[in-house]
């Protein structure tokens, strides 16, 4: 693309759009003209980005398009509308689209946990290779239960949330490798399975399940979902379908990062349960019931709203005015 020639051809339209944006009052005809010029300039921006990404011109047109959109929609109203749309449409749609990946990852991870736990329970030699007799007694009688109560509730909840949220984001960000989500899943599943196996083998199954069940269901499901999102991104690179590979990666990456943002919220709820409910003096059934309510609310949120959004054609991707993928309206 010859940028000088392109700018010479369209500079008049950009100047006209800039003048309309600055005008305090617009007639009906001027508003229609503003909409038309906004769409054309957005298309010009997309063309420059894809063919000749000159940073000066891209910055100039991006600013002009953003100002025009703000004039058309109202910036404050638009921000609230975008936030509401993210919560009620984009996030649940992105989560619902990967539901089968999530279920597959969940089933595989739970199987690894059960096999790892059974391996430990069925073999005293394996237990001995993992921990000495003194270490096993310390874990079973003291450390496992104390882990949830030795720190102040608020700081413990924040620490757990930060750690798990970072793991979830990594699964999505590095999912295109195909390796990192699998590594996280295997490491996490074997760790939980081995710990559970040691507790069960030493007659403390009630302590293990009584402490891990309240928060663990939502926490583990969120990690499984993050890994599923990362693997879905990897698959978009392997099999982009009719889309160009880079476009498929960009679209899936944006939509699946939406999943990561949603999971940060879910893990915050899980962290609150782990920090305040798990170590509380409530009866075991009450703590488990609270955890079940948290998981049920999360599943209801993305299944109900997600199904509705996906049926309406939503994918969880960003709106086109934020991605630069505008349809051609230059004619």
């Amino acid at each position: 693309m010859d940028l000088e020639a392109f700018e010479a051809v369209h500079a008049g339209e950009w100047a006209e759009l800039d003048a309309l944006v600055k005008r305090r009052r617009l007639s009906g005809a001027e508003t229609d003209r503003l909409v038309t010029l906004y769409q054309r300039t957005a298309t010009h921006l997309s063309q420059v980005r894809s063919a000749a990404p000159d940073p000066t011109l891209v910055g100039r047109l991006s600013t002009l398009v953003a100002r025009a959109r703000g004039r058309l929609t109202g910036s404050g109203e638009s921000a609230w509308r975008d936030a509401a749309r993210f919560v009620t449409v984009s996030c649940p749609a992105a989560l619902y689209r990967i539901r089968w990946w999530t279920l597959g990852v969940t089933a595989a991870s739970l199987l690894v946990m059960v096999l790892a736990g059974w391996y430990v329970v069925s073999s005293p030699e394996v237990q001995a290779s993992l921990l000495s007799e003194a270490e096993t007694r310390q874990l079973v009688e003291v450390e496992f239960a104390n882990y949830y109560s030795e720190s102040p509730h608020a700081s413990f909840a924040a620490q757990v949330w930060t750690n798990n949220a970072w793991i979830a984001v990594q699964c999505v960000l590095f999912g295109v490798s195909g390796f990192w989500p699998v590594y996280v899943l295997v490491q996490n599943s074997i760790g939980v399975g081995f710990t559970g196996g040691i507790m069960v083998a030493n007659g403390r199954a009630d302590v293990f399940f009584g402490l891990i069940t309240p928060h663990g269901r939502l926490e583990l499901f969120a990690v499984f979902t993050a890994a599923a999102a990362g693997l879905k991104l990897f698959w978009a690179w392997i099999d982009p379908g009719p889309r160009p590979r880079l476009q498929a990666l960009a679209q899936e990456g944006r939509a699946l990062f939406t999943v990561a943002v949603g999971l940060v919220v879910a893990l915050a709820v899980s962290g609150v349960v782990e920090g305040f409910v798990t170590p509380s003096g409530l009866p075991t059934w009450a703590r488990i019931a609270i955890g079940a309510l948290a998981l049920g609310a999360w599943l209801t949120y993305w299944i109900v709203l997600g199904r509705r959004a996906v049926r309406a054609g939503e994918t969880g991707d960003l709106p086109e005015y934020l991605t630069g993928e505008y349809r051609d309206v230059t004619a």
Side-chain angles (χ1 to χ4, degrees):
M1 175 186 288
D2 187 334
L3 283 180
E4 292 184 1
F6 186 82
E7 188 170 358
V9 170
H10 299 293
E13 291 180 324
W14 302 341
E16 183 183 358
L17 176 60
D18 183 59
L20 289 172
V21 169
K22 293 178 179 177
R23 194 167 299 175
R24 177 169 296 183
R25 295 182 179 276
L26 298 174
S27 65
E30 288 172 332
T31 300
D32 290 340
R33 181 62 175 166
L34 175 61
V35 172
T36 299
L37 290 173
Y38 162 68
Q39 293 176 326
R40 289 182 180 178
T41 304
T43 299
H44 298 158
L45 172 60
S46 180
Q47 291 171 336
V48 171
R49 279 175 169 167
S50 60
D54 177 71
T56 301
L57 186 56
V58 167
R60 176 186 167 192
L61 293 181
S62 296
T63 301
L64 182 56
V65 168
R67 289 172 53 224
R69 181 179 176 275
R71 180 63 191 272
L72 288 169
T73 63
S75 57
E77 179 184 352
S78 174
W80 283 108
R81 184 169 61 248
D82 288 346
R85 186 180 188 280
F86 177 86
V87 172
T88 61
V89 177
S90 299
C91 183
L95 288 163
Y96 188 76
R97 283 183 64 236
I98 62 168
R99 62 194 183 280
W100 299 120
W101 288 83
T102 301
L103 290 176
V105 166
T106 299
S109 299
L110 292 178
L111 178 61
V112 172
M113 286 183 194
V114 171
L115 291 176
W118 175 82
Y119 183 56
V120 171
V121 171
S122 62
S123 175
E125 292 78 12
V126 172
Q127 298 176 45
S129 69
L130 293 173
L131 297 173
S132 67
E133 184 176 345
E135 289 172 332
T136 298
R137 187 165 54 252
Q138 180 71 10
L139 171 66
V140 169
E141 297 178 0
V142 179
E143 288 183 357
F144 188 81
N146 283 359
Y147 170 75
Y148 297 99
S149 57
E150 61 187 2
S151 300
H153 297 319
S155 61
F156 180 64
Q159 177 185 351
V160 168
W161 171 61
T162 303
N163 179 66
N164 289 331
W166 176 233
I167 291 174
V169 171
Q170 285 183 75
C171 283
V172 178
L173 288 178
F174 304 138
V176 71
S177 68
F179 162 77
W180 187 252
V182 175
Y183 171 76
V184 170
L185 287 174
V186 172
Q187 184 185 54
N188 187 69
S189 299
I190 290 178
V192 173
F194 277 0
T195 301
I198 291 173
M199 295 291 289
V200 171
N202 288 273
R204 302 307 297 273
D206 57 332
V207 175
F208 176 77
F209 289 108
L211 289 175
I212 202 171
T213 304
H215 65 274
R217 285 168 294 181
L218 178 56
E219 178 182 282
L220 289 172
F221 189 74
V223 173
F224 297 158
T225 304
L231 293 174
K232 180 69 165 60
L233 183 60
F234 172 69
W235 189 251
W237 176 63
I238 296 296
D239 183 17
R243 299 170 294 179
R245 182 167 276 103
L246 289 180
Q247 182 185 14
L249 280 174
Q251 291 175 343
E252 293 295 339
R254 290 190 301 263
L256 295 176
F257 192 75
T258 300
V259 170
V261 175
L263 292 178
V264 168
V265 177
L267 287 167
V269 175
S270 172
V272 170
V273 175
E274 186 169 359
F276 292 89
V277 176
T278 297
S280 71
L282 292 172
T284 300
W285 67 265
R287 290 185 280 114
I288 292 176
I290 292 172
L293 287 174
L295 177 61
W298 174 248
L299 293 175
T300 301
Y301 162 71
W302 68 261
I303 290 175
V304 174
L305 296 183
R307 181 191 295 120
R308 181 188 307 164
V310 168
R311 287 179 176 175
E314 298 290 340
T315 64
D317 195 1
L318 296 174
E320 64 178 15
Y321 66 82
L322 292 177
T323 67
E325 296 180 358
Y326 301 94
R327 58 187 176 87
D328 191 353
V329 293
T330 56

